[in-house]
Amino acid sequence: MSAVLRPLEQPQARLVLLGTGTVGSAFVARYQALQQRQLSLPSLHVVANSRIALVCDDAPDAALSRARDAQRQGDEPVHREEVGRLRVGDIVVDATASEAVAADHAPWLAQGIHVVTANKLGNGTALARAQQIGAAAAAGTARYGDAATVGAGLPLLRSIRALVAGGDHVHAIEGVLSGSLAWLFDRYDGSQPFSDCVREAAVAGYTEPDPRIDLSGEDVRRKLLILARAAGVPLEADQIKVDSLVPAELAALPAADVEDALSLLDAPLAERLQQARAQGLKLCFVGRLDAQGASVGLRALPPGHALAGGSGTDNRVAIHSDRYNTQPLLIQGPGAGAEVTAAALLDDVLSIVNR
């Protein structure tokens, strides 16, 4: 009687979480919540940041706390040493905003290591890097999960890619792509200085620690690049015209002095609000891509405009295509917050595991 041949069992995929800030912490909390619901998840093997990498040993909370309190040791980025120990089929979760980590996305994919990311510096900077990531994912078995990079997991990238794969032609994409700026212009009504609204947003965790990153439009530029490339438009960053809200005097200050100088925003924004109201319009910070080019900046929109109906941190994106010609496809939902971003990361992890 001949022996039955059985395929070799593949080792179970493991997770390495890079980043222990608000998104990384929310990722660990949601991971544990999903475990309690008996979802099949890879083991959370390591939690790491720029200072230290710690094996979790079934206690991710403890590892997370230790990593957050750790002091920096040595010059070599910790993530490279730790990820170097991974096997084919393991999953790196990038919850950082690190250039050094984003530079390794394509090499990891080429090694057969899946990458799930909220870091926009992979697909949202140089076109050559985005093309390397796409080529590495297409050439092998490793997948690239980037739903958390735009819209905190709203089905934006998935929808655009599905349209393109189905033969549709995307003519224009326009949207309120920053949850922090959406909140600011929903909140700002002239009853208090704009700088006070910025301080409120910072306390609520909607802005970056240096709010100039949000106010400059750079974050929106990166998101528009990611959406454009998903639509098949090989756009470079310098092809997007950006109208920053940050006055030159404020932009020149060191980060430590920004808080005391936020009042430099007040007069210009009060004037923009007054002009918009005089015409019955609403201020929205919008990124737009169409046949004429790409731009990011503050626009005064009529109340009935497709992008003027959101509230709070809502992202609201209109996709114009052959299929959606008379009326655009509208996608709306919360576009800021560590919890929704962490949920998007874990959605991509589960998609990889369950494919």
Side-chain angles (χ1 to χ4, degrees):
M1 193 172 179
S2 61
V4 176
L5 296 178
R6 300 179 184 276
L8 292 174
E9 286 191 12
Q10 295 295 320
Q12 185 183 19
R14 301 171 299 175
L15 292 176
V16 167
L17 171 63
L18 304 181
T20 58
T22 55
V23 173
S25 299
F27 180 90
V28 170
R30 183 165 179 82
Y31 177 88
Q32 292 177 307
L34 294 183
Q35 275 190 320
Q36 291 173 0
R37 289 165 49 189
Q38 307 300 311
L39 266 73
S40 178
L41 288 163
S43 63
L44 184 49
H45 178 53
V46 165
V47 170
N49 55 29
S50 62
R51 302 178 297 280
I52 195 169
L54 295 169
V55 175
C56 290
D57 289 330
D58 297 322
D61 273 343
L64 182 70
S65 179
R66 286 179 57 203
R68 290 175 71 114
D69 294 338
Q71 301 297 313
R72 187 169 182 84
Q73 302 172 358
D75 297 326
E76 180 67 13
V78 171
H79 76 275
R80 286 191 179 140
E81 179 181 350
E82 187 52 46
V83 175
R85 300 189 180 102
L86 291 184
R87 305 180 296 238
V88 170
D90 286 341
I91 305 169
V92 173
V93 178
D94 181 1
T96 76
S98 167
E99 165 67 27
V101 175
D104 286 336
H105 287 183
W108 290 333
L109 292 168
Q111 294 167 37
I113 298 168
H114 306 287
V115 178
V116 170
T117 181
N119 186 349
K120 291 179 281 293
L121 301 181
N123 268 342
T125 52
L127 179 60
R129 174 178 292 175
Q131 290 173 332
Q132 288 167 359
I133 289 169
T141 58
R143 294 181 62 189
Y144 192 68
D146 60 353
T149 59
V150 185
L154 292 173
L156 293 172
L157 289 169
R158 182 166 72 247
S159 297
I160 291 171
R161 287 168 178 153
L163 290 175
V164 173
D168 200 0
H169 176 65
V170 175
H171 302 290
I173 301 170
E174 59 178 348
V176 175
L177 298 172
S178 165
S180 58
L181 292 173
W183 186 91
L184 281 169
F185 286 104
D186 184 50
R187 181 83 171 86
Y188 181 50
D189 60 5
S191 63
Q192 62 178 323
F194 186 76
S195 57
D196 285 353
C197 296
V198 174
R199 292 185 181 96
E200 286 182 35
V203 170
Y206 296 144
T207 70
E208 297 291 334
D210 184 343
R212 293 177 298 182
I213 296 173
D214 302 281
L215 297 167
S216 70
E218 182 57 34
D219 177 68
V220 176
R221 171 169 29 199
R222 289 171 182 163
K223 291 174 180 177
L224 189 61
L225 277 175
I226 294 169
L227 294 176
R229 292 164 180 173
V233 181
L235 205 62
E236 287 282 12
D238 61 6
Q239 293 177 278
I240 300 179
K241 180 182 177 182
V242 178
D243 179 18
S244 172
L245 299 178
V246 183
E249 185 179 350
L250 182 59
L253 293 176
D257 297 338
V258 169
E259 167 70 21
D260 293 334
L262 285 175
S263 60
L264 292 168
L265 296 164
D266 294 339
L269 268 300
E271 183 178 356
R272 298 286 287 271
L273 180 64
Q274 185 178 12
Q275 291 172 349
R277 282 187 165 175
Q279 302 174 66
L281 304 177
K282 178 181 178 180
L283 291 178
C284 296
F285 199 89
V286 174
R288 180 177 173 86
L289 167 73
D290 57 27
Q292 283 68 53
S295 64
V296 166
L298 196 61
R299 290 172 58 188
L301 302 176
H305 191 281
L307 304 183
S311 63
T313 63
D314 278 2
N315 280 190
R316 192 169 173 90
V317 180
I319 301 167
H320 305 258
S321 70
D322 289 343
R323 186 183 305 179
Y324 299 101
N325 189 22
T326 304
Q327 287 185 309
L329 171 64
L330 287 176
I331 299 173
Q332 178 180 339
E339 289 75 18
V340 288
T341 303
L345 289 170
L346 272 159
D347 285 352
D348 274 341
V349 168
L350 287 168
S351 176
I352 289 169
V353 171
N354 296 326
R355 63 175 175 169

